[in-house]
Amino acid sequence: MTSHEIRKAFLDFFVSKQHLIVPSAPMVAKNDPTLMFQNSGMAQFKDFFLGNATPPATRIADTQKCLRVSGKHNDLEEVGFDTYHHTMFEMLGNWSFGDYFKTEALHWAYELLTEVYKLPKDRLYVSVFEGDKKDNVPFDQEAFDIWKSILGSDERIIYGNKKDNFWEMGDVGPCGPCSEIHIDLRPEEEIARKPGKDLVNADHPQVVEIWNVVFMQFERRADGSLDVLEDKCIDTGMGFERLCMAIQGKQSNYDTDIFQNTIQVLEEMSGLKYGANGTLSSDNYGDVAMRVVADHIRAVAFAITDGQLPSNNGAGYVIRRILRRAIRYGYSYLNFKEPFMSKLVPVLAKQFKDVFPELKQQEEFVTKVIEEEEKTFLRTLDMGLKRLDQIFENEADKKEIDGKTVFELSDTFGFPVDLTALIAREKGFKVDEAGFKAELAKQKERSRKDATKEAADWFEVNELDNPSYIGYDHQEAVTKLVQYRKVKTKKGEEFHVVLEQTPFYAEMGGQVGDTGVLEFKTPKSEFTLEVVDCQLEAGLHVHIVKKAPFEDISIEDLRAAQVTAKIDKTRHSNIIKNHSATHLMLAALREVLGDHIVQRGSYQNDEVTRFDFSHFSKVTDEELQKVEDIVNTKIRQNIALDERRNVPIDEAMTLGATATFGEKYGDFVRVIIFDPKFSIELCGGNHVPATGEIGLFKFTSEGSVSAGVRRVEAVTGIKALERLREQEAIINELKAVMKSPQDLVASIKALQEEKTALQKKVEALENEKLQNVKLDLLKTVVEKDGAQLISAKVEVANADALKQLTYDLKAKLEKPYVVLGTELNGKPLLAVMIDDSLVSDTLHAGKIVKEAAKEMRGGGGGQPHFATAGGSDVNGLQKAIEKAVSFL
Ligand code: ATP
Ligand code: MG
């Protein structure tokens, strides 16, 4: 079976078991503060497990793009060295949300593997959870019994500990035991020598876990205790690449048809042969490098496709690091000195065009972004190598690179540590690893401190009965408190509040959260809480409040409290102007620049709208003006908002709606239309009832954010007017300063020209003066002890002129000994020039000025033949000159 057939067979099998097939969520996680990237199939269904949202079906199956390079799962360092861990991989999964449980899940898993895929039964092993006394969770008898009846005996059942066989979503939340399926892919002779059972979970490259079936049956509380869940769930995850290796009878994931296309291209480009010395060796760096590159290009290309550009922080930095790891392996072991990763994008785009068509659609953009990153990093590699050469020269005695330098190379220059170590070794240098680790630990500590936020359990006040957002229709709600919790942050403490109904928009899709107040009326008291932000968490609108007296109020009173939630209307109205203007702007940008304009990021608060989009050159002032004109025309036309909710996604796309790459859309979407011939977008945000309300639209800046991505900022409404007024005020002030000329610009230009001319004149005069001083001084030469001595207090324009003067004098004399003093801005300055032939241990200009400067309360130093000193006491200048002369 080809990999395409294997994937299809999985989905078809679960369709036959009444599962709904859903698309993969974008790999980049949005709106989940705990996650940067999808790291398992279940991540996109979190809200369903937590009961905060209702799944579209109780049985679901899919293939999910996952990335494991940050947070809880980080396999990065393994990738390339072993043959079965990837950064990005596909996880095939099937789910039951309160529907079937262990019996069906395990029977179907076995049926699929052995009857559809025809994997040999005697190569499979399964594990069940052995129980954990400390945690008070028992042995999973149920799973054991089911497996025993499926397999006919317990011979192939393994007991797993908490680390391998108990799954938790996080510190708190749903959890439960799991059962893994492992496969032994070794040749018969080896199996005869050692049974596969002994190699399960022992990091053997041919005895690997392929499928994990999780039984969500508990919920973990913040105090560590476990509650039994009412609606039990199934969550399974099967590594697609490993499955293909097993079915295609390969020894390594990289030998399957999933990676072979890429590897062949790499062979052609490098002239090297993959696996020439045995594919699996991790000592053969050429092979490791091909695996690294073949793996990483997938992760990077799909991350960019799904909206995450490489950058200097957060998720963007993770992507940049993956890309750089690949470039450096290619650079060091495949001899690629020019961009090569970007050349692999078309291979992937073609291979995945039917499964993940989004890459094909953005092929050109993704290629360009990667190429630019490559160019930059190849330069960095070059710079880092030069820097290292310098270190090798400077530290030739020590033969060691200290930890701080290694850290600086990696942190500031992005120069990978392992590369530093490798090159160091080639030069016979050691790397101070302990020192480096210490620096790294310090940095980790710094970022840990930045991130700490400790949340207590939610305290449930009223039953969570379908909390709803009513902000599309109302700015106020009379409602009830559902739950709250206290959160310790770096800055102190805050409260998170969830209401039954809320008019507060939670930050999403670029639009900031609303602020406002919550007015509480309990049977015994009344108080108002200020909401400083509203964030989305697991599908809930979480109102963030700095102070709240909840802990002093009885639960009965809280439960009975009437809560009036009111948003800050003025701020909200500024935000929605910016948001609607963003839609008009995108449509106008496409009209002016072309259809390749795709949204890459957007942000709207009550001040500005910031918008990133793909475009390869600077947007000219003329183009910006055209866009402004179009947007402002649409504003003046006062087009009414046409908002449609719950539109089936297919219907919305037929309308011609613009979807954003990397955004996850459900089956039903909200469509925002301003003139169906102009702007139709899928959007969950808030908008003006008619475009006229925006008032005015004005760009304030245009620039580049990264390769192929431009950023514009604009203001609307009263802010736009304020902005124009500010500009006008500046012009008026300028006019007043310039005495109201007829042509302001011409008169400023004239002033500049005049200034330049005057400057030239002054310089010429000063030069002339300096020449005169020089001639005068030459007349005062005194022969003393074989030297020609000149000493004087002179008048010069600046320190440079003093230096120039001493050098000019030197040029005119045979054996000069020149001591000049001057006063600049009330401070003394001394310069000493000694002919090279006179220089000795005692006749050393640097030492002389140092001594002499004491007379004018100052200090200085310099070379043996020339030095200067400053001071703070002008009255001592004459004495200082005499002192300097006295050395002769
Ligand atoms: P392993 O111990 O092999 O790292 P895991 O316990 O981390 O696996 P799970 O979190 O249970 O794996 O993920 C479910 C399945 O996803 C695994 O059975 C495996 O087939 C696959 N998988 C996990 N991590 C990777 C990875 N980095 N690359 C490819 N497949 C993976
Ligand atoms: Mg793992």
Side-chain angles (χ1 to χ4, degrees), residues 647-709:
V647 181
I649 179 91
D650 300 339
E651 200 180 308
M653 298 322 279
T654 329
L655 278 176
T658 321
T660 308
F661 286 114
E663 248 357 293
K664 181 181 162 229
Y665 298 103
D667 294 336
F668 293 92
V669 291
R670 185 162 167 267
V671 185
I672 295 295
I673 304 172
F674 288 111
D675 179 352
K677 285 200 258 354
F678 187 64
S679 163
I680 309 178
E681 285 196 54
L682 303 185
C683 177
N686 297 128
H687 290 278
V688 295
T691 56
E693 206 168 282
I694 301 169
L696 184 62
F697 172 86
K698 182 88 190 69
F699 279 119
T700 53
S701 72
E702 191 277 345
S704 148
V705 214
S706 62
V709 181

Side-chain angles (χ1 to χ4, degrees), residues 68 72-75 78 85 89 209 242:
R68 292 198 167 178
K72 183 174 149 195
H73 294 287
N74 191 341
D75 294 334
E78 257 72 61
H85 277 100
F89 63 99
E209 176 191 328
R242 292 185 193 177

